[in-house]
Amino acid sequence: MSKDPRYPVGPFQPKASTTLAERKALIRQIADAPAALQKAIDGLNVAQLDTPYRDGGWTIRQVVHHVPDSHMGGFMRLKWAMTEDAPTIKAYDQDAWSKLPDVSATPVAVSVALLDNLHRRWMTILTSLDDAAFARALVHPDHGRVTVDWLVQMYAWHGRHHVAHITSLRERMRW
């Protein structure tokens, strides 16, 4: 664990390639993310959900809603990579999204359920891919040309990253 509250599991550091065992472990992390997120927020009250995980950071509520927003994008990026030749994907302004009314007005349970169901679909695709599929390319506006293998690494890290935002705050606050 990192001492930097922005990156409690450390910054994203993708490997150029992964072994089959590493890839399976990363896919398992993606599969486990909804349950980990639910466990991280279990028992929190409204005031706790509206507490930023760090000074200047998002609230737990914003983090919970952000994860399925981001992972829906990841799911679509995977589908584009599987069906198009090196598609250029669209980025989004996650800070602006975190301030939209659905974030403050929607119960966090809705986003956890959305994440769970999304990941069920995602797993169907990810567990069916062969090595060639993991080498397929897509173009990210911020990261350049990347592969499906990179995408798996990114979203495995992303889920752990945001769950750790919540769990590290809970540890610091003794919740």
Side-chain angles (χ1 to χ4, degrees), residues 142-163:
D142 298 326
H143 301 282
R145 189 177 179 96
V146 297
T147 64
V148 169
D149 192 54
W150 179 93
L151 204 68
V152 169
Q153 293 177 67
M154 167 60 88
Y155 287 99
W157 170 84
H158 189 259
R160 289 183 297 105
H161 168 70
H162 285 302
V163 166

Side-chain angles (χ1 to χ4, degrees), residues 1-15 143 153-154 157-158 160-161 165:
M1 291 295 232
S2 167
K3 297 287 185 199
D4 184 342
R6 294 172 304 160
Y7 299 102
V9 297
F12 177 55
Q13 297 179 328
K15 295 174 70 174
H143 301 282
Q153 293 177 67
M154 167 60 88
W157 170 84
H158 189 259
R160 289 183 297 105
H161 168 70
H165 280 147

Side-chain angles (χ1 to χ4, degrees), residues 42-174:
D42 276 347
L44 294 179
N45 62 39
V46 171
Q48 292 167 326
L49 288 171
D50 290 330
T51 301
Y53 72 89
R54 67 173 174 88
D55 288 339
W58 287 341
T59 66
I60 292 175
R61 180 182 310 281
Q62 288 172 306
V63 170
V64 171
H65 290 303
H66 163 73
V67 175
D69 284 350
S70 175
H71 290 207
M72 283 188 288
F75 177 74
M76 296 306 297
R77 290 167 177 177
L78 173 65
K79 290 186 118 184
W80 285 320
M82 292 296 98
T83 60
E84 298 177 22
D85 187 29
T88 297
I89 61 168
K90 185 172 180 356
Y92 71 104
D93 183 342
Q94 61 188 15
D95 288 322
W97 283 33
S98 76
K99 296 176 180 113
L100 290 173
D102 64 310
V103 171
S104 60
T106 304
V108 292
V110 172
S111 280
V112 174
L114 174 61
L115 187 69
D116 183 54
N117 286 302
L118 172 66
H119 280 222
R120 289 171 190 254
R121 294 252 330 255
W122 210 353
M123 287 307 103
T124 300
I125 296 174
L126 286 173
T127 58
S128 72
L129 299 179
D130 60 18
D131 287 341
F134 286 100
R136 290 187 61 88
L138 57 153
V139 179
H140 191 293
D142 298 326
H143 301 282
R145 189 177 179 96
V146 297
T147 64
V148 169
D149 192 54
W150 179 93
L151 204 68
V152 169
Q153 293 177 67
M154 167 60 88
Y155 287 99
W157 170 84
H158 189 259
R160 289 183 297 105
H161 168 70
H162 285 302
V163 166
H165 280 147
I166 298 165
T167 57
S168 63
L169 174 64
R170 290 188 78 154
E171 287 171 16
R172 288 191 312 275
M173 301 297 284
R174 296 188 174 101

